[in-house]
Amino acid sequence: MSGAEALAAVGLASNILQFIDFTTQLCVRIQEYSSAASGLPKALAQQAAHLSHLLGLFRELQEQSGEQQHQDGILEPCRVQAQELADIFESLRTDSSQSRWKHAKAAFKSMKRTEKIDKLQSTLDRLVRTLSLQLQIEAKRGADRTGTDVSKILSLQSGQLGLLQQIKNATSVEDDEGRSEVGPKSRWIVPLSRNSKFVGREDILEDLEELLSQKRDGSIIAVLYGLGGVGKTQVALEYIYRIRSSSVSVFWVHGSSLSRFMESYKRIAIECNVPGHNDPNNDTMQLVRDWLETNCATRWLMIVDNVDDRTVFFEQDPDLTTGRALVEYIPQAANGTVIYTTRSRDIGVDLLSGSEPIKVSPLSIDEGIFMLGDRLTGNVPRETQITLLEELAYLPLAISQAAAFMVKRRKTVTEYIRLLQDESTKSRVLDHRTLHHGREDRSSESVTSTWWITFQHLEQENPRSVELLMMMSLIDRQQIPLGIFQDPNEVLFDFEDAVGLLEAFSLVSTYSYAEVCDQKAMDMLYNHRYGLMELSPNFCDMHRLVQRSTRDWLGRAGDFGLSTAIETLRMCADVFPSGFFETWPLCRILYPHANAILRYQYDKSYKTMKDDDSTASYRSSLLHKLSTYSRQSGNLEESEQRASQAMDLRRTVPTAPGTESREFLESMESYALTISMLGRREEACMMQQRVFEGFLKLLGPNHRRTLEARNQLGHSLRALGEYAAAEAQHREELSAKRVLLDQDPSDPDLIDDLVIAINNVANVMRDQGEYEEAYELLQEALVRSSDGAFGEDHPLNWLTKESLAIVSGVMEKRDQAHELFAEVLAWRIKVYGEQHHSTLITRGQYMSLLSQEGDYAAAEEEGKLLLKYEVLTLGSESHATLHNHGNTLQQRKKYREAELVYKRLLQLQKESPGTWTRSSARLSNARRETSEESTRDLIRITLEAQGKMEEAEAYAATTLPSPVDNDPPDARKLHEKSLDLFREGNFAGAEAVARQELELRTKSSGLDNDRTQSCLFQIARAIHEQDPFNDSQSLARQVLAYRKRVRGWRSNGTHDILAFLAATVRDQEKLEEAEKLYRQLVLWVDNSFGKLDVKTYEARWGLANVLSRQHRYAESEELYRQNLQAQLDNPTESLPEHTAQAYFNLGCVLRYQRKNEEGEVCFRQAYDRRVKLFGEDDGRSIKVLMCLAEIVEEQGKSEEAGELYASLCRVIELPQSDGEEHNGTEDSEHTSDDDNGP
């Protein structure tokens, strides 16, 4: 016979067999039709009855669901599929009285519709399962109206699942042990009953069904893998019960050990009566394998559970005389299917010859809530249940254990969560053993013991994996950079192989660094791990409960556990960077891990771990770095705590006699820096002095570390207002750093050191009002910073820009100031965020600049943002928030509202004078800015702006520090008497009384005292009034130096003294010095109060007057125009006399330049306003009229000039109330532009 003929014969035989099989089934179906009372065969009748009942339930549920539209999406498809299936059954129904031919026809028709029935039924099965889960969850949420229907659906579900297979085959009944004889040829050898509490996992079951339904030439294999306790066995168990039928034999095999595997095969051999199994000389496992491959009459499915130990399953066991591994006894046949469960993905991949196994993940939220189910007592809110599930990581074993524990111990969910979150009880709760369904070989088990088995497998396979797991458990469980664990001499392949084993057992999950950070951070990590040839680029997360169980295991590991904990601490201390800005990308990654290892306490051995010298060194080093990072990033409270802990640990480090260790000094310096930022500046300054002296002894005066200590001491002195002392320290620092850089000009670190020193000197000069020098220094710093080690994005560069922006604004370089502030603010928001204290400071300074320029709309917008973020950061009643809010209101000319805010601030300052240090210190560069004195001064200003002069005077009187116990009462009386005499014009008497007061105060408090200095100023004023050319200047200069040092240039009193000194110098015709003093005054008051304040107006007038006296009329004209424009732009806020005076001053300086036409306009405006204000016979009005007549005459308008002179004569002949003796704001002092023409 040819090959073609042979193939034809085989095909013919196959067709004949199929025909015989179909004919047999048709005959059976005809017989069933003939005997069926319902008109359908028994199997179809049973299915039709189910469908009829199900359709009724669907209709009831749809009617009752009301507004629960979320159910309709699945309910309607269920109803449609069921109705279509019921319609088919109805079309197949016959009458039992009909002829046999009719029955045969109906039977033939039903056979042809079987495929469609199967497809519809399969779809309906899946829909009903989904609907059931949804309804169960809904029931848990309190859907009482559907409660009855839910229970019916649930009871029907168990019959509905797998109904298609039960219709195709005769159904048998299980015995009490879960076994059944499902047919003459099939076997059911499963030692576990179905889990009635199984929930969800539909996606995994569908994946399993899809995989196992594929047609292949050989046996079909599937592998379920996942974390211990995640429910792999339960999924496999549920699957076999769903597909159970008379045509498939099912065998359950335990793969956890050799003895359990052999026991399972022996049972198969006995119950299936495998030939030869009674002969002790035969290999029973080989017999079972051969029988399944060649002699088993049905399709079969084998579950091999818990294949977790590679050694047990894949390697030869010495106890086996056959010399084979267990994997070799797994049958491979076309009619067979094998499902493995394992904790290791690697094992799964090997079993599948390189394919990907099916992962069993923890439950979803809804699945977890349903699994808790009725086990919970009382009505537990969904949020509380979710909190519990998160603590249990949605792990079925942990959920089951928790539910059993709560029932047995009568604990509520809240109480159980509290036990889980308490470190002292969490381990014992997780180690509580409970009976679990489906864990036949270890039915009494806890979450902890489950994973310890995994750890033991790891220890046997790769000890390095166990070491890594232990170290990971001691730090934060998320975003762990694997590179920090690499040993310098470790090959990357070996390291990643150890990590891969952890991932294979689902203990960790790895991912690329790109999901966490950028390449810059990885480069920093590589630089810190400088010994590595190649760095692992991956990160990993650890399962929450795995971390807890690993820590428990570590705590019981004795010396090995202790040494692991110390090594982890050493590693964290070594890899964590300095904490300064340039290291922030790496700090952000390592910060949670460093905190975690510091919190870890190694059970009973913790004391030994803490007190050991090397351990204390590691711990203090890490604490010091964390303190720096916290301070740099604005977390001052934590920085203080960390620095204090580091200082305590380093205090005992042995040193040479008379010296302190460098480590201790550095920790003390870090602590001082932090408490200074928190406002405890006096304490910080004393500590910085000690630190500086310590480094001076240890390293000498010119060592870089000593210079850094000098730098910090200067900052502390500056913060206290000790500007002269701070300047001296910073200039010494700058000089020494210039020398160091000259020795090595290319060192970028030395360049950065120099930039810091330049900034320090510039800022302290700015504090003293020396803006030109400060500006020049900051320009130099900005140029040099681009050559430094860290480039433009370093905070040092932006601090320089911010300082330059402030100085530029004060010096009227507005465009530059705007540009710089915009850049700095944008950078701070990007790097720190809106609520960081440095961002708030910058926004506040920018708002002040806008206000000074008169751009109140823009300033108001910035003020709103500033207030919003201050409230979020510090609270609505912090000193800083109230202080800045009041400033914003004042700048917006809302004086009444500002007054109330300032008064509330003053009240809080009296009630809790120290509370500002925790809040407003972050937003104030010196304490004086939020002191009671400053607040009283602000209240005075707002009251004066509202015309409340008497109340303002009361606040002005209390601006000086309140009396102290050693303030002599007689001195206070003398002070009041001197003031009264001065107001009466008795200047000699006022001087004499003030000198008596000075003698008393000097004896009582010394010269370096606010009240003593105030007395000196009073003497200087009295001397000047008696003789302007007398030497009152020396006293004024002494008082000015004191006020700048103690109160700063922003203080109102400092401005008054400088204005007095400038006027006395001007009156002595020392015009160049007077110009310098007035320019400084203009900068100060403009920066402090804005363009419209009286002090700004008068300071600008004084400078213009001095310039005019030097015949610098163009410069003088510009200043007078600024004064006039400021008055005209804000008529509601300006004083009418100031507007009139501004016109008059401008007219005079225009006349000096022969700009008579415009000058005439100004004089007419001034005259009209003064007549309206004071009358035509007032001396101020007469002066303007005289100037007007002269300028008209100079233009050749003789007739008009004559009329003006006539008016002038008429007015002069009238009685004068004040005349030339009137002591007006302008005429008593501002005479230059009236009398000193060209």
Side-chain angles (χ1 to χ4, degrees), residues 220-262:
I220 301 175
I221 300 176
V223 179
L224 301 173
Y225 84 97
L227 197 61
V230 79
K232 303 178 294 295
T233 299
Q234 296 300 321
V235 171
L237 192 62
E238 176 66 16
Y239 176 76
I240 63 173
Y241 272 97
R242 288 192 182 186
I243 58 94
R244 183 178 179 184
S245 73
S246 61
S247 62
V248 179
S249 296
V250 180
F251 309 105
W252 193 276
V253 176
H254 295 285
S256 56
S257 66
L258 172 62
S259 60
R260 298 306 307 280
F261 189 87
M262 293 177 66

Side-chain angles (χ1 to χ4, degrees), residues 864-1119:
K864 289 178 181 178
L865 290 172
L866 179 63
L867 178 62
K868 171 185 174 182
Y869 293 117
E870 280 180 345
V871 170
L872 290 173
T873 306
L874 304 173
S876 60
E877 290 216 329
S878 75
H879 290 194
T881 303
L882 292 171
H883 176 81
N884 292 328
H885 184 35
N887 289 350
T888 303
L889 292 169
Q890 184 186 39
Q891 289 161 355
R892 292 160 58 188
K893 310 305 176 186
K894 297 184 177 182
Y895 296 115
R896 174 56 181 165
E897 297 174 51
E899 174 197 341
L900 296 176
V901 171
Y902 287 141
K903 286 182 176 179
R904 175 58 180 160
L905 172 59
L906 184 62
Q907 179 186 353
L908 291 176
Q909 287 171 329
K910 290 179 178 178
E911 293 173 354
S912 52
T915 57
W916 75 277
T917 59
R918 289 285 185 183
S919 56
S920 59
R922 300 183 181 186
L923 302 178
S924 302
N925 292 324
R927 181 170 182 165
R928 64 180 181 276
E929 295 184 19
T930 48
S931 65
E932 286 188 46
E933 177 193 4
S934 172
T935 305
R936 290 180 182 279
D937 204 31
L938 291 168
I939 295 173
R940 176 191 62 78
I941 292 171
T942 58
L943 291 169
E944 288 178 350
Q946 298 174 77
K948 302 176 181 179
M949 297 306 177
E950 292 185 7
E951 188 178 355
E953 182 66 25
Y955 278 95
T958 56
T959 299
L960 287 171
S962 57
V964 292
D965 294 338
N966 62 352
D967 188 27
D970 290 344
R972 293 199 295 274
K973 293 178 181 177
L974 289 171
H975 181 73
E976 294 297 330
K977 184 177 180 181
S978 176
L979 289 176
D980 290 340
L981 291 170
F982 189 91
R983 282 191 285 267
E984 293 170 2
N986 185 352
F987 303 119
E991 177 190 353
V993 173
R995 289 189 181 278
Q996 296 177 40
E997 177 193 357
L998 178 64
E999 183 178 358
L1000 285 176
R1001 292 194 182 281
T1002 304
K1003 290 180 180 179
S1004 174
S1005 307
L1007 281 173
D1008 202 23
N1009 175 273
D1010 276 359
R1011 292 185 178 279
T1012 307
Q1013 294 293 324
S1014 178
C1015 182
L1016 281 174
F1017 184 43
Q1018 176 69 2
I1019 294 172
R1021 291 175 61 204
I1023 291 174
H1024 178 72
E1025 291 297 334
Q1026 295 174 72
D1027 182 2
F1029 293 94
N1030 205 330
D1031 190 18
S1032 61
Q1033 295 176 28
S1034 60
L1035 288 177
R1037 292 182 195 280
Q1038 179 181 341
V1039 176
L1040 179 63
Y1042 170 83
R1043 292 290 301 189
K1044 285 170 63 178
R1045 174 170 59 85
V1046 176
R1047 296 298 176 189
W1049 62 267
R1050 292 178 184 271
S1051 168
N1052 195 49
T1054 307
H1055 299 157
D1056 292 341
I1057 296 167
L1058 180 58
F1060 170 80
L1061 181 60
T1064 57
V1065 171
R1066 180 200 64 195
D1067 291 346
Q1068 294 179 15
E1069 294 300 322
K1070 300 177 181 178
L1071 298 181
E1072 290 185 3
E1073 184 181 0
E1075 178 188 346
K1076 182 178 179 181
L1077 292 171
Y1078 271 121
R1079 286 193 183 280
Q1080 191 173 63
L1081 180 62
V1082 169
L1083 293 175
W1084 282 7
V1085 295
D1086 192 3
N1087 189 51
S1088 298
F1089 304 109
K1091 294 182 180 299
L1092 290 182
D1093 191 84
V1094 174
K1095 291 182 179 295
T1096 306
Y1097 178 91
E1098 292 181 348
R1100 195 181 286 117
W1101 182 93
L1103 177 58
N1105 184 273
V1106 169
L1107 292 171
S1108 179
R1109 292 189 183 199
Q1110 298 178 75
H1111 307 292
R1112 291 158 63 182
Y1113 300 124
E1115 296 173 66
S1116 177
E1117 176 189 344
E1118 178 61 28
L1119 289 169

Side-chain angles (χ1 to χ4, degrees), residues 789-809:
F790 305 114
E792 291 190 356
D793 268 344
H794 192 271
L796 180 59
N797 182 58
W798 294 98
L799 283 172
T800 304
K801 286 187 175 183
E802 185 169 33
S803 296
L804 187 59
I806 295 170
V807 174
S808 298

Side-chain angles (χ1 to χ4, degrees), residues 214 389 612:
Q214 296 174 3
L389 291 170
D612 177 78

Side-chain angles (χ1 to χ4, degrees), residues 377-551:
T377 58
N379 184 19
V380 182
R382 178 180 174 86
E383 293 74 18
T384 305
Q385 294 185 54
I386 291 175
T387 301
L388 173 61
L389 291 170
E390 288 175 348
E391 288 292 329
L392 299 174
Y394 296 93
L395 201 69
L397 178 63
I399 296 170
S400 177
Q401 176 182 316
F405 182 91
M406 285 185 280
V407 171
K408 288 194 288 186
R409 297 291 182 267
R410 293 186 174 88
K411 296 290 184 183
T412 65
V413 173
T414 303
E415 291 171 334
Y416 188 81
I417 291 173
R418 193 177 300 118
L419 290 173
L420 278 178
Q421 293 175 342
D422 187 340
E423 291 296 326
S424 64
T425 58
K426 185 172 186 175
S427 298
R428 284 180 287 170
V429 171
L430 293 176
D431 202 21
H432 181 78
R433 291 180 176 267
T434 306
L435 293 175
H436 298 285
H437 180 276
R439 306 184 76 81
E440 194 258 353
D441 54 339
R442 300 184 305 275
S443 59
S444 179
E445 196 169 40
S446 68
V447 173
T448 301
S449 61
T450 296
W451 285 329
W452 283 13
I453 295 170
T454 301
F455 302 157
Q456 291 165 4
H457 293 329
L458 286 172
E459 200 166 23
Q460 294 173 8
E461 189 167 343
N462 190 333
R464 176 62 169 148
S465 296
V466 176
E467 182 184 4
L468 290 174
L469 185 68
M470 285 185 166
M471 296 178 75
M472 289 178 190
S473 74
L474 298 178
I475 59 178
D476 194 84
R477 67 182 186 87
Q478 294 181 312
Q479 295 186 356
I480 302 172
L482 293 174
I484 65 176
F485 298 107
Q486 283 183 251
D487 289 335
N489 299 321
E490 189 170 21
V491 178
L492 180 60
F493 179 86
D494 295 337
F495 177 78
E496 292 187 338
D497 187 57
V499 174
L501 189 59
L502 296 178
E503 186 169 28
F505 277 90
S506 300
L507 300 174
V508 302
S509 56
T510 64
Y511 44 90
S512 170
Y513 76 89
E515 297 183 29
V516 180
C517 62
D518 56 16
Q519 185 61 47
K520 183 178 180 181
M522 291 303 295
D523 291 341
M524 288 183 185
L525 181 58
Y526 178 80
N527 291 333
H528 274 72
R529 306 292 287 162
Y530 54 88
L532 295 173
M533 295 297 293
E534 191 175 5
L535 184 75
S536 173
N538 292 330
F539 281 65
C540 78
D541 293 342
M542 175 181 276
H543 196 284
R544 184 193 303 272
L545 296 186
V546 170
Q547 182 187 46
R548 181 69 264 173
S549 297
T550 308
R551 283 192 177 188

Side-chain angles (χ1 to χ4, degrees), residues 835-871:
Q835 297 183 43
H836 193 273
H837 69 274
S838 61
T839 308
L840 298 177
I841 291 172
T842 302
R843 191 180 291 281
Q845 291 168 337
Y846 186 43
M847 181 189 71
S848 297
L849 175 68
L850 293 169
S851 296
Q852 291 161 20
E853 293 179 339
D855 190 353
Y856 299 112
E860 182 173 354
E861 289 303 314
E862 291 296 329
K864 289 178 181 178
L865 290 172
L866 179 63
L867 178 62
K868 171 185 174 182
Y869 293 117
E870 280 180 345
V871 170

Side-chain angles (χ1 to χ4, degrees), residues 30-45:
I30 292 171
Q31 185 177 359
E32 288 177 346
Y33 262 107
S34 301
S35 59
S38 63
L40 285 173
K42 181 178 179 181
L44 295 182

